[in-house]
Amino acid sequence: MKTYTLPKQSDWLALTERPALNQAGLESTVNSILELVKSKKDKAIFDLTEKFDKVKLDAIKVPEEQIKDAIKTIPNELQTAIQLAKKNITTFHKAQLEADSKVIETTTGVKCWRKSVGIEKVGLYIPGGTAPLFSTILMLGIPAKIANCKDIILCTPCDKNGTINPAILYTANLVGITAIYKVGGAQAIAAMAYGTETIPQVYKIFGPGNQFVTKAKELVQQNGTAIDMPAGPSEILIIADKTGVPEFIAADLLSQAEHGADSQVILLSDSQSTIDAVKVELDNQIKLLPRKETALSALNNSRLILLDSISDCIDFSNLYAPEHLIIASENAENYTSNIINAGSVFLGNYSCESAGDYASGTNHTLPTNGFAKNYSGVSVDSFVKKITFQNLTQKGIRTIGRSIEIMAEAEGFFAHKNAVTLRLKSINNG
Amino acid sequence: MKTYTLPKQSDWLALTERPALNQAGLESTVNSILELVKSKKDKAIFDLTEKFDKVKLDAIKVPEEQIKDAIKTIPNELQTAIQLAKKNITTFHKAQLEADSKVIETTTGVKCWRKSVGIEKVGLYIPGGTAPLFSTILMLGIPAKIANCKDIILCTPCDKNGTINPAILYTANLVGITAIYKVGGAQAIAAMAYGTETIPQVYKIFGPGNQFVTKAKELVQQNGTAIDMPAGPSEILIIADKTGVPEFIAADLLSQAEHGADSQVILLSDSQSTIDAVKVELDNQIKLLPRKETALSALNNSRLILLDSISDCIDFSNLYAPEHLIIASENAENYTSNIINAGSVFLGNYSCESAGDYASGTNHTLPTNGFAKNYSGVSVDSFVKKITFQNLTQKGIRTIGRSIEIMAEAEGFFAHKNAVTLRLKSINNG
């Protein structure tokens, strides 16, 4: 992990750079998978699953029976933990659902309002691999239910025996996923975007994934399927003053570093002694981690930076636009007003990222790779469309009608003007 | 305009089809423009403007002096109309800005909240051509200001004399656009996405445009620039019962049809006599339009459909997912509860689309081409990011800490678990 001491402001931009990914050939590989699923549908899913996941599936859809069996195998302690997380996530996200919004009378007789309507069909993708990310099912499934989406399907790859981790099945069932399909990778994204005989087409796709999944989401977005947000490797930036606890800071940096070799972690501080103490803690703690090798690779992309003041740290952080931002300070609340670009912010020494990752109630699907400059994390908003309504009375159109006629004419739209003129005439004659 | 009488439900999907666009070669043409602007910056803008717009620019940025001069040329009547529209649009959109959202205590000691922060740099695109779309500047500039975006730039092509329509300059100045640049087409989108010596890079691009502009927005989105929404030709669907006024219905259909030859207009009704009367009105009214040829072409893509009931009409409309939906009925409010997919809805005989296009207060930048299934129209939401915050006390982490440890371990993330364990230990020892 490289240390930088009081870098010049003109060098900051270079220090916000993310590790570059090699994407050569990715688009054409993914495009060919998309085309295959589009044309061969279920047959392509069976074939690609055999090719990439090394398993010959009997059926793509997970039967009810398998879900029921899986539930029985989940230890009580884990069930209770997942239920506590569900309760907090539900509480936080329910507050995001707007009641039908207030009717605004912009002018007498001109009433306008918005209504939030759940997107009818949504698809969630949960990656396979070593870590069964059941927590992401909570983060996507709960707001989808609150938004009142009708069909909430889930695709996730199975292992070589054709089975899906029981914690995934348990959580999917708990939050009310409507159907679960054993399919992973770009082929899962294609199936949800275009539909197959078994897997229904959806209007919006959510969830994390590897480079193939991410590219597939980008490409189907161009054909009209909405996606949650662009994706990149996970990252954290911690701003610590001398009241931050080095032991906790090191643990939080490592909890991000263990995500993947391409993760990035950054510590900013106005205190040299804090930076030094964090370094010592990092060395001590990393030795004990099962995912030590991954964390070590991630630390290679990572930076400890001494800056002049906490105000400079906030400015640097806004330039970096971190997915996760921890303010490790007893006075964290004092520093929040200038935060412009960040996905989720954790204040004080006891707000670890793990809390938001699992159970505090906030969403953990957040903009990475600097996208916090222009994207929000997932929320109930992500699962609804807001439809505007308006109702004009005769008095309403009489009040604003002349202005509409003038503007429409100035833009050269005479039929637009005429739609008003006819109404005004009819009112005057009536 | 084709008439369909009681089509079978199995034939509905085919009747929701939009006119197909020929996009052959479009992507490579646009990609080469993007690359040119990325590498040659301002020089590319000068060259491409000369090539496509047939004008040798002195400068890309519109000087203050030109804006001041333009304002003087706008008739008072038009100024007043634009100001009335601004007032109503401001009133409706201000109500969308959430105050810093409520702090939710999901568990004792675990406080979570969201904060809406304006996207720092946004770019608006306004097409040139015959119609100076100053109304779109109101629709994009006003919510950008309300959202508190810092830099709000505008790109629009100039005419062969190097001038921009004064109504565009007037409106841009009125809503507080920070800088105006004389550049159009895909090169404008590229300039805002990548930045040039003169035109600053922005984080999100808004606004309508032709196929080149639309494709450019799609492509820069893949490189991290956010865009308002995917675009397609404008469209309207009107549902009329026998209380709808045929004269008004025909006028509203034509006001959409005059937009472009690729626009689509659809009338659904449960009343044969209403359909017949609308046909007569269409024939009468179209003759008088300056943009008659355009409207006639659009009507070729268009449909009058008799259905069994208004309930069937709503179901068909949800399948079509229209940008604009007019319910031409004295009982319009009775039919709204089942509307799922629509951009903006106009209720009753006096709520013409023109009202929402210009001055009622709602936004006219709306999802077309069926995208109302998965996208909302532009609102203040489009110009902010919602950042989540959390603050856990010792009591908070004590209450949810054990659950986090269990879940992190079940997902195989031991450093995530350790970040909690260390805190719990420190509290117990403290």
Side-chain angles (χ1 to χ4, degrees), chain A residues 88 106-107 135 203 222 252 255 258 333 340-341 344-345 349 351 354 360 374 376 385-386 388 390-392 411 416 423, chain B residues 106-107 135 203 222 252 255 258 333 340-341 344-345 349 351 354 360 374 376 385-386 388 390-392 411 416 423:
Chain A
N88 287 347
T106 55
T107 296
S135 61
Y203 302 144
Q222 281 197 66
D252 293 335
S255 75
E258 76 172 340
E333 300 254 8
I340 298 173
N341 298 322
S344 197
V345 186
N349 286 318
S351 305
S354 310
S360 64
N374 39 12
S376 308
K385 308 150 299 164
K386 294 186 181 172
T388 49
Q390 61 200 284
N391 197 341
L392 278 74
E411 287 193 353
H416 283 67
R423 284 170 168 92
Chain B
T106 55
T107 296
S135 61
Y203 302 146
Q222 282 197 66
D252 293 335
S255 74
E258 77 172 341
E333 299 254 8
I340 298 173
N341 298 321
S344 197
V345 185
N349 285 316
S351 304
S354 310
S360 63
N374 39 13
S376 308
K385 308 151 297 163
K386 293 186 182 173
T388 50
Q390 61 200 283
N391 197 339
L392 278 73
E411 287 193 351
H416 283 67
R423 284 169 168 94

Short mmCIF file of all heavy atoms in Angstrom, two decimals, chain A residues 88 106-107 135 203 222 252 255 258 333 340-341 344-345 349 351 354 360 374 376 385-386 388 390-392 411 416 423, chain B residues 106-107 135 203 222 252 255 258 333 340-341 344-345 349 351 354 360 374 376 385-386 388 390-392 411 416 423:
data_model
loop_
_atom_site.label_atom_id
_atom_site.label_comp_id
_atom_site.label_asym_id
_atom_site.label_seq_id
_atom_site.Cartn_x
_atom_site.Cartn_y
_atom_site.Cartn_z
N ASN A 88 -34.72 -4.39 9.45
CA ASN A 88 -34.13 -3.04 9.37
C ASN A 88 -34.15 -2.49 7.95
O ASN A 88 -34.41 -1.30 7.73
CB ASN A 88 -32.69 -3.07 9.90
CG ASN A 88 -32.65 -3.21 11.42
OD1 ASN A 88 -33.67 -3.05 12.09
ND2 ASN A 88 -31.49 -3.53 11.95
N THR A 106 -50.93 24.35 -9.93
CA THR A 106 -49.91 25.32 -10.35
C THR A 106 -50.56 26.66 -10.70
O THR A 106 -49.93 27.71 -10.57
CB THR A 106 -49.12 24.79 -11.57
OG1 THR A 106 -50.04 24.46 -12.61
CG2 THR A 106 -48.32 23.56 -11.21
N THR A 107 -51.79 26.61 -11.17
CA THR A 107 -52.60 27.79 -11.50
C THR A 107 -54.02 27.36 -11.19
O THR A 107 -54.31 26.16 -11.27
CB THR A 107 -52.48 28.09 -13.02
OG1 THR A 107 -51.14 28.43 -13.32
CG2 THR A 107 -53.40 29.24 -13.44
N SER A 135 -27.15 -11.70 1.04
CA SER A 135 -27.44 -10.34 1.53
C SER A 135 -27.90 -9.44 0.38
O SER A 135 -28.73 -8.55 0.57
CB SER A 135 -26.22 -9.73 2.22
OG SER A 135 -25.13 -9.64 1.33
N TYR A 203 -38.35 -5.97 -17.41
CA TYR A 203 -38.12 -4.61 -17.91
C TYR A 203 -36.88 -3.95 -17.30
O TYR A 203 -36.37 -2.97 -17.83
CB TYR A 203 -39.33 -3.74 -17.62
CG TYR A 203 -40.63 -4.24 -18.21
CD1 TYR A 203 -41.84 -4.08 -17.53
CD2 TYR A 203 -40.66 -4.89 -19.44
CE1 TYR A 203 -43.03 -4.54 -18.07
CE2 TYR A 203 -41.84 -5.35 -19.98
CZ TYR A 203 -43.02 -5.17 -19.30
OH TYR A 203 -44.20 -5.62 -19.83
N GLN A 222 -28.78 -1.01 -24.07
CA GLN A 222 -28.90 -0.32 -25.36
C GLN A 222 -30.10 -0.79 -26.16
O GLN A 222 -30.52 -0.13 -27.10
CB GLN A 222 -27.63 -0.55 -26.18
CG GLN A 222 -26.51 0.34 -25.75
CD GLN A 222 -25.46 0.39 -26.83
OE1 GLN A 222 -25.68 0.90 -27.91
NE2 GLN A 222 -24.30 -0.15 -26.53
N ASP A 252 -11.74 -2.00 8.64
CA ASP A 252 -12.68 -1.57 7.58
C ASP A 252 -12.00 -1.57 6.21
O ASP A 252 -12.60 -1.95 5.21
CB ASP A 252 -13.23 -0.18 7.90
CG ASP A 252 -14.14 -0.19 9.14
OD1 ASP A 252 -14.70 -1.26 9.44
OD2 ASP A 252 -14.25 0.86 9.78
N SER A 255 -11.88 -5.11 5.15
CA SER A 255 -13.17 -5.72 4.80
C SER A 255 -13.52 -5.36 3.36
O SER A 255 -14.23 -6.09 2.67
CB SER A 255 -14.27 -5.32 5.78
OG SER A 255 -14.68 -3.99 5.57
N GLU A 258 -10.88 -7.52 0.96
CA GLU A 258 -11.09 -8.96 0.77
C GLU A 258 -12.12 -9.25 -0.33
O GLU A 258 -12.29 -10.39 -0.73
CB GLU A 258 -11.50 -9.64 2.07
CG GLU A 258 -12.94 -9.42 2.49
CD GLU A 258 -13.37 -10.28 3.70
OE1 GLU A 258 -12.71 -11.29 3.99
OE2 GLU A 258 -14.37 -9.90 4.35
N GLU A 333 -20.13 14.07 12.32
CA GLU A 333 -21.32 14.83 11.85
C GLU A 333 -20.94 16.26 11.42
O GLU A 333 -21.63 16.86 10.60
CB GLU A 333 -22.40 14.89 12.93
CG GLU A 333 -22.92 13.53 13.35
CD GLU A 333 -24.33 13.20 12.80
OE1 GLU A 333 -24.85 13.97 11.98
OE2 GLU A 333 -24.88 12.16 13.21
N ILE A 340 -20.31 15.80 -1.41
CA ILE A 340 -21.11 15.93 -2.64
C ILE A 340 -21.19 14.60 -3.39
O ILE A 340 -22.24 14.23 -3.88
CB ILE A 340 -20.49 17.00 -3.57
CG1 ILE A 340 -20.50 18.36 -2.87
CG2 ILE A 340 -21.26 17.09 -4.88
CD1 ILE A 340 -19.77 19.43 -3.65
N ASN A 341 -20.07 13.92 -3.50
CA ASN A 341 -20.04 12.70 -4.29
C ASN A 341 -19.65 11.49 -3.44
O ASN A 341 -18.49 11.33 -3.06
CB ASN A 341 -19.03 12.84 -5.44
CG ASN A 341 -19.40 13.97 -6.39
OD1 ASN A 341 -20.57 14.18 -6.69
ND2 ASN A 341 -18.40 14.70 -6.86
N SER A 344 -22.53 5.81 -0.15
CA SER A 344 -23.10 5.68 1.19
C SER A 344 -22.04 6.12 2.19
O SER A 344 -20.86 5.80 2.02
CB SER A 344 -23.52 4.23 1.44
OG SER A 344 -24.39 4.14 2.54
N VAL A 345 -22.46 6.84 3.21
CA VAL A 345 -21.52 7.46 4.14
C VAL A 345 -21.74 6.90 5.54
O VAL A 345 -22.89 6.79 6.00
CB VAL A 345 -21.70 8.99 4.16
CG1 VAL A 345 -20.62 9.63 5.02
CG2 VAL A 345 -21.65 9.56 2.74
N ASN A 349 -16.94 6.17 14.76
CA ASN A 349 -16.10 4.99 14.93
C ASN A 349 -16.89 3.68 14.99
O ASN A 349 -16.30 2.60 14.85
CB ASN A 349 -15.25 5.14 16.20
CG ASN A 349 -14.11 6.12 15.98
OD1 ASN A 349 -13.46 6.11 14.93
ND2 ASN A 349 -13.87 7.01 16.96
N SER A 351 -19.71 3.04 13.05
CA SER A 351 -20.47 2.79 11.82
C SER A 351 -19.55 2.11 10.81
O SER A 351 -19.03 2.75 9.90
CB SER A 351 -21.01 4.10 11.25
OG SER A 351 -21.77 4.79 12.21
N SER A 354 -19.46 -2.90 7.23
CA SER A 354 -20.20 -4.17 7.36
C SER A 354 -21.63 -3.93 7.82
O SER A 354 -22.54 -4.68 7.44
CB SER A 354 -19.55 -5.09 8.40
OG SER A 354 -18.20 -5.23 8.18
N SER A 360 -27.85 -2.68 8.83
CA SER A 360 -28.31 -1.43 9.46
C SER A 360 -29.63 -0.96 8.83
O SER A 360 -30.43 -0.31 9.48
CB SER A 360 -27.24 -0.35 9.32
OG SER A 360 -27.04 -0.04 7.95
N ASN A 374 -22.69 10.72 -10.54
CA ASN A 374 -23.91 10.88 -11.34
C ASN A 374 -25.00 9.84 -11.10
O ASN A 374 -26.06 9.93 -11.72
CB ASN A 374 -23.59 10.96 -12.84
CG ASN A 374 -22.48 10.02 -13.27
OD1 ASN A 374 -22.08 9.13 -12.52
ND2 ASN A 374 -21.99 10.20 -14.48
N SER A 376 -27.24 7.37 -8.07
CA SER A 376 -27.57 7.03 -6.69
C SER A 376 -27.46 5.52 -6.51
O SER A 376 -27.53 4.77 -7.48
CB SER A 376 -29.01 7.42 -6.36
OG SER A 376 -29.28 8.75 -6.69
N LYS A 385 -41.67 3.68 -11.45
CA LYS A 385 -41.70 4.80 -12.39
C LYS A 385 -42.64 5.82 -11.77
O LYS A 385 -43.64 5.46 -11.15
CB LYS A 385 -42.30 4.36 -13.72
CG LYS A 385 -41.66 3.14 -14.33
CD LYS A 385 -42.68 2.38 -15.16
CE LYS A 385 -43.83 1.93 -14.30
NZ LYS A 385 -45.02 1.52 -15.06
N LYS A 386 -42.31 7.08 -11.96
CA LYS A 386 -43.21 8.11 -11.47
C LYS A 386 -43.97 8.69 -12.65
O LYS A 386 -43.39 9.32 -13.53
CB LYS A 386 -42.43 9.17 -10.72
CG LYS A 386 -41.82 8.58 -9.45
CD LYS A 386 -41.15 9.61 -8.57
CE LYS A 386 -40.55 8.90 -7.35
NZ LYS A 386 -39.72 9.80 -6.53
N THR A 388 -46.63 11.23 -14.28
CA THR A 388 -47.28 12.51 -13.97
C THR A 388 -48.72 12.50 -14.50
O THR A 388 -49.02 11.88 -15.52
CB THR A 388 -46.53 13.70 -14.60
OG1 THR A 388 -46.28 13.45 -15.99
CG2 THR A 388 -45.21 13.95 -13.91
N GLN A 390 -52.27 15.20 -15.03
CA GLN A 390 -52.79 16.55 -14.93
C GLN A 390 -54.25 16.61 -15.31
O GLN A 390 -54.73 15.79 -16.09
CB GLN A 390 -52.01 17.54 -15.77
CG GLN A 390 -51.98 17.33 -17.23
CD GLN A 390 -50.79 18.08 -17.81
OE1 GLN A 390 -50.83 19.29 -17.94
NE2 GLN A 390 -49.74 17.37 -18.11
N ASN A 391 -54.93 17.54 -14.69
CA ASN A 391 -56.35 17.72 -14.96
C ASN A 391 -56.64 19.22 -15.02
O ASN A 391 -56.47 19.93 -14.04
CB ASN A 391 -57.18 17.05 -13.87
CG ASN A 391 -58.62 16.86 -14.31
OD1 ASN A 391 -59.08 17.53 -15.25
ND2 ASN A 391 -59.34 15.97 -13.65
N LEU A 392 -57.00 19.69 -16.21
CA LEU A 392 -57.32 21.11 -16.39
C LEU A 392 -58.82 21.29 -16.49
O LEU A 392 -59.49 20.55 -17.21
CB LEU A 392 -56.68 21.66 -17.67
CG LEU A 392 -55.21 22.08 -17.59
CD1 LEU A 392 -54.31 20.87 -17.54
CD2 LEU A 392 -54.83 22.98 -18.76
N GLU A 411 -42.62 28.14 -31.66
CA GLU A 411 -41.84 26.95 -31.98
C GLU A 411 -42.25 26.35 -33.32
O GLU A 411 -41.69 25.33 -33.74
CB GLU A 411 -41.99 25.90 -30.86
CG GLU A 411 -41.22 26.27 -29.58
CD GLU A 411 -41.10 25.11 -28.60
OE1 GLU A 411 -41.73 24.05 -28.83
OE2 GLU A 411 -40.35 25.26 -27.61
N HIS A 416 -50.31 22.04 -32.28
CA HIS A 416 -50.29 22.20 -30.81
C HIS A 416 -51.12 23.42 -30.42
O HIS A 416 -51.87 23.39 -29.46
CB HIS A 416 -48.85 22.40 -30.31
CG HIS A 416 -48.03 21.15 -30.26
ND1 HIS A 416 -47.64 20.46 -31.37
CD2 HIS A 416 -47.51 20.47 -29.20
CE1 HIS A 416 -46.91 19.41 -31.01
NE2 HIS A 416 -46.83 19.39 -29.70
N ARG A 423 -60.37 24.55 -28.04
CA ARG A 423 -60.97 24.46 -26.69
C ARG A 423 -61.40 25.85 -26.21
O ARG A 423 -62.48 26.01 -25.65
CB ARG A 423 -59.99 23.82 -25.72
CG ARG A 423 -59.89 22.28 -25.91
CD ARG A 423 -58.76 21.67 -25.12
NE ARG A 423 -58.82 20.21 -25.06
CZ ARG A 423 -58.21 19.38 -25.91
NH1 ARG A 423 -57.50 19.86 -26.92
NH2 ARG A 423 -58.31 18.07 -25.76
N THR B 106 -33.61 2.61 12.57
CA THR B 106 -34.10 1.27 12.23
C THR B 106 -34.07 0.36 13.46
O THR B 106 -34.87 -0.56 13.57
CB THR B 106 -33.28 0.63 11.10
OG1 THR B 106 -31.89 0.66 11.48
CG2 THR B 106 -33.45 1.41 9.80
N THR B 107 -33.12 0.63 14.34
CA THR B 107 -32.96 -0.11 15.60
C THR B 107 -32.40 0.94 16.56
O THR B 107 -31.73 1.86 16.11
CB THR B 107 -31.91 -1.24 15.42
OG1 THR B 107 -32.39 -2.17 14.47
CG2 THR B 107 -31.60 -1.95 16.73
N SER B 135 -38.94 25.60 -25.23
CA SER B 135 -39.72 25.01 -24.14
C SER B 135 -38.94 23.89 -23.44
O SER B 135 -39.08 23.68 -22.23
CB SER B 135 -41.07 24.47 -24.65
OG SER B 135 -40.86 23.47 -25.62
N TYR B 203 -21.31 15.34 -16.07
CA TYR B 203 -21.55 13.98 -15.57
C TYR B 203 -22.85 13.38 -16.09
O TYR B 203 -23.03 12.18 -16.03
CB TYR B 203 -21.58 13.99 -14.04
CG TYR B 203 -20.33 14.53 -13.39
CD1 TYR B 203 -20.40 15.25 -12.20
CD2 TYR B 203 -19.08 14.30 -13.95
CE1 TYR B 203 -19.26 15.74 -11.58
CE2 TYR B 203 -17.93 14.78 -13.35
CZ TYR B 203 -18.02 15.51 -12.17
OH TYR B 203 -16.89 15.98 -11.56
N GLN B 222 -22.17 4.22 -22.07
CA GLN B 222 -21.34 3.03 -21.81
C GLN B 222 -19.98 3.40 -21.26
O GLN B 222 -19.28 2.55 -20.70
CB GLN B 222 -21.14 2.24 -23.10
CG GLN B 222 -22.35 1.42 -23.45
CD GLN B 222 -21.97 0.36 -24.46
OE1 GLN B 222 -21.21 -0.55 -24.18
NE2 GLN B 222 -22.48 0.50 -25.65
N ASP B 252 -55.72 16.87 -30.79
CA ASP B 252 -54.62 16.33 -29.99
C ASP B 252 -53.81 15.28 -30.76
O ASP B 252 -52.59 15.23 -30.67
CB ASP B 252 -55.17 15.72 -28.69
CG ASP B 252 -55.77 16.78 -27.76
OD1 ASP B 252 -55.35 17.95 -27.86
OD2 ASP B 252 -56.66 16.45 -26.96
N SER B 255 -51.64 17.19 -33.07
CA SER B 255 -50.55 17.94 -32.43
C SER B 255 -49.37 16.99 -32.18
O SER B 255 -48.22 17.41 -32.15
CB SER B 255 -51.01 18.63 -31.16
OG SER B 255 -51.18 17.72 -30.11
N GLU B 258 -47.78 16.16 -35.94
CA GLU B 258 -46.96 17.17 -36.62
C GLU B 258 -45.51 17.17 -36.14
O GLU B 258 -44.65 17.83 -36.72
CB GLU B 258 -47.57 18.58 -36.46
CG GLU B 258 -47.34 19.23 -35.11
CD GLU B 258 -47.79 20.70 -35.07
OE1 GLU B 258 -47.94 21.33 -36.12
OE2 GLU B 258 -48.00 21.20 -33.95
N GLU B 333 -61.22 10.63 -14.29
CA GLU B 333 -60.61 10.27 -13.00
C GLU B 333 -60.99 8.85 -12.56
O GLU B 333 -60.26 8.22 -11.79
CB GLU B 333 -61.02 11.28 -11.91
CG GLU B 333 -60.60 12.71 -12.19
CD GLU B 333 -59.42 13.18 -11.32
OE1 GLU B 333 -58.83 12.37 -10.61
OE2 GLU B 333 -59.11 14.40 -11.40
N ILE B 340 -50.78 1.64 -15.49
CA ILE B 340 -49.48 1.15 -14.98
C ILE B 340 -48.33 1.72 -15.79
O ILE B 340 -47.31 2.12 -15.24
CB ILE B 340 -49.44 -0.39 -15.02
CG1 ILE B 340 -50.53 -0.98 -14.12
CG2 ILE B 340 -48.08 -0.91 -14.58
CD1 ILE B 340 -50.66 -2.48 -14.23
N ASN B 341 -48.47 1.72 -17.12
CA ASN B 341 -47.37 2.14 -17.98
C ASN B 341 -47.75 3.35 -18.82
O ASN B 341 -48.51 3.23 -19.78
CB ASN B 341 -46.95 0.99 -18.90
CG ASN B 341 -46.46 -0.22 -18.13
OD1 ASN B 341 -45.76 -0.08 -17.12
ND2 ASN B 341 -46.82 -1.41 -18.57
N SER B 344 -46.89 10.46 -19.16
CA SER B 344 -47.66 11.54 -18.56
C SER B 344 -49.11 11.37 -18.99
O SER B 344 -49.38 11.04 -20.15
CB SER B 344 -47.11 12.90 -19.01
OG SER B 344 -47.57 13.94 -18.16
N VAL B 345 -50.04 11.60 -18.07
CA VAL B 345 -51.45 11.31 -18.32
C VAL B 345 -52.26 12.61 -18.22
O VAL B 345 -52.06 13.40 -17.29
CB VAL B 345 -51.98 10.28 -17.30
CG1 VAL B 345 -53.41 9.89 -17.64
CG2 VAL B 345 -51.08 9.04 -17.26
N ASN B 349 -61.53 16.48 -20.95
CA ASN B 349 -61.58 17.11 -22.27
C ASN B 349 -60.75 18.39 -22.39
O ASN B 349 -60.50 18.86 -23.49
CB ASN B 349 -63.04 17.39 -22.66
CG ASN B 349 -63.76 16.11 -23.06
OD1 ASN B 349 -63.21 15.29 -23.79
ND2 ASN B 349 -64.97 15.91 -22.55
N SER B 351 -57.69 18.86 -20.80
CA SER B 351 -56.26 18.64 -20.53
C SER B 351 -55.60 18.20 -21.83
O SER B 351 -55.36 17.01 -22.05
CB SER B 351 -56.09 17.58 -19.45
OG SER B 351 -56.80 17.94 -18.29
N SER B 354 -50.78 19.75 -25.36
CA SER B 354 -50.06 21.03 -25.46
C SER B 354 -49.88 21.69 -24.09
O SER B 354 -48.88 22.37 -23.87
CB SER B 354 -50.83 22.03 -26.32
OG SER B 354 -51.20 21.49 -27.54
N SER B 360 -48.42 23.79 -18.19
CA SER B 360 -49.22 23.42 -17.01
C SER B 360 -48.32 23.24 -15.80
O SER B 360 -48.74 23.45 -14.67
CB SER B 360 -50.00 22.13 -17.28
OG SER B 360 -49.11 21.06 -17.51
N ASN B 374 -40.37 1.05 -18.02
CA ASN B 374 -39.25 0.95 -17.07
C ASN B 374 -38.55 2.27 -16.74
O ASN B 374 -37.61 2.27 -15.94
CB ASN B 374 -38.23 -0.09 -17.54
CG ASN B 374 -38.00 -0.10 -19.05
OD1 ASN B 374 -38.41 0.83 -19.75
ND2 ASN B 374 -37.34 -1.11 -19.55
N SER B 376 -39.01 6.68 -15.84
CA SER B 376 -39.85 7.84 -15.53
C SER B 376 -39.45 8.98 -16.45
O SER B 376 -38.34 9.00 -16.98
CB SER B 376 -39.62 8.30 -14.10
OG SER B 376 -39.76 7.25 -13.19
N LYS B 385 -28.42 13.08 -6.90
CA LYS B 385 -28.07 11.74 -6.40
C LYS B 385 -28.56 11.71 -4.96
O LYS B 385 -28.46 12.71 -4.26
CB LYS B 385 -26.57 11.52 -6.40
CG LYS B 385 -25.91 11.83 -7.69
CD LYS B 385 -24.48 12.30 -7.45
CE LYS B 385 -24.48 13.58 -6.66
NZ LYS B 385 -23.19 13.88 -6.04
N LYS B 386 -29.05 10.56 -4.54
CA LYS B 386 -29.45 10.45 -3.14
C LYS B 386 -28.38 9.65 -2.40
O LYS B 386 -28.18 8.47 -2.66
CB LYS B 386 -30.82 9.79 -3.05
CG LYS B 386 -31.89 10.71 -3.65
CD LYS B 386 -33.29 10.21 -3.46
CE LYS B 386 -34.26 11.17 -4.14
NZ LYS B 386 -35.64 10.68 -4.14
N THR B 388 -26.89 7.93 0.90
CA THR B 388 -27.34 7.42 2.20
C THR B 388 -26.28 7.71 3.26
O THR B 388 -25.08 7.69 2.98
CB THR B 388 -27.65 5.91 2.17
OG1 THR B 388 -26.55 5.22 1.58
CG2 THR B 388 -28.90 5.62 1.38
N GLN B 390 -25.32 6.83 7.57
CA GLN B 390 -25.71 6.12 8.78
C GLN B 390 -24.78 6.45 9.92
O GLN B 390 -23.60 6.79 9.71
CB GLN B 390 -25.77 4.62 8.58
CG GLN B 390 -24.51 3.93 8.18
CD GLN B 390 -24.87 2.60 7.56
OE1 GLN B 390 -25.19 1.65 8.26
NE2 GLN B 390 -24.86 2.54 6.24
N ASN B 391 -25.33 6.39 11.10
CA ASN B 391 -24.56 6.66 12.31
C ASN B 391 -24.97 5.65 13.37
O ASN B 391 -26.12 5.64 13.80
CB ASN B 391 -24.81 8.09 12.78
CG ASN B 391 -23.72 8.53 13.76
OD1 ASN B 391 -23.04 7.70 14.35
ND2 ASN B 391 -23.57 9.83 13.92
N LEU B 392 -24.03 4.77 13.73
CA LEU B 392 -24.31 3.78 14.76
C LEU B 392 -23.63 4.20 16.07
O LEU B 392 -22.46 4.59 16.05
CB LEU B 392 -23.78 2.40 14.36
CG LEU B 392 -24.67 1.56 13.42
CD1 LEU B 392 -24.65 2.12 12.01
CD2 LEU B 392 -24.25 0.10 13.45
N GLU B 411 -21.32 -15.75 4.38
CA GLU B 411 -20.94 -15.37 3.01
C GLU B 411 -19.45 -15.53 2.76
O GLU B 411 -18.97 -15.23 1.66
CB GLU B 411 -21.38 -13.92 2.72
CG GLU B 411 -22.88 -13.77 2.53
CD GLU B 411 -23.29 -12.42 1.93
OE1 GLU B 411 -22.41 -11.54 1.81
OE2 GLU B 411 -24.47 -12.27 1.57
N HIS B 416 -15.01 -8.67 6.96
CA HIS B 416 -16.26 -7.96 7.28
C HIS B 416 -16.68 -8.29 8.72
O HIS B 416 -17.11 -7.43 9.47
CB HIS B 416 -17.38 -8.39 6.33
CG HIS B 416 -17.31 -7.77 4.97
ND1 HIS B 416 -16.31 -8.05 4.08
CD2 HIS B 416 -18.13 -6.88 4.34
CE1 HIS B 416 -16.52 -7.36 2.95
NE2 HIS B 416 -17.62 -6.65 3.09
N ARG B 423 -14.94 -4.14 17.22
CA ARG B 423 -15.71 -3.09 17.88
C ARG B 423 -16.46 -3.63 19.09
O ARG B 423 -16.49 -3.00 20.15
CB ARG B 423 -16.67 -2.44 16.88
CG ARG B 423 -15.97 -1.47 15.91
CD ARG B 423 -16.86 -1.06 14.77
NE ARG B 423 -16.33 0.06 13.99
CZ ARG B 423 -15.60 -0.05 12.89
NH1 ARG B 423 -15.28 -1.26 12.42
NH2 ARG B 423 -15.17 1.03 12.25
#
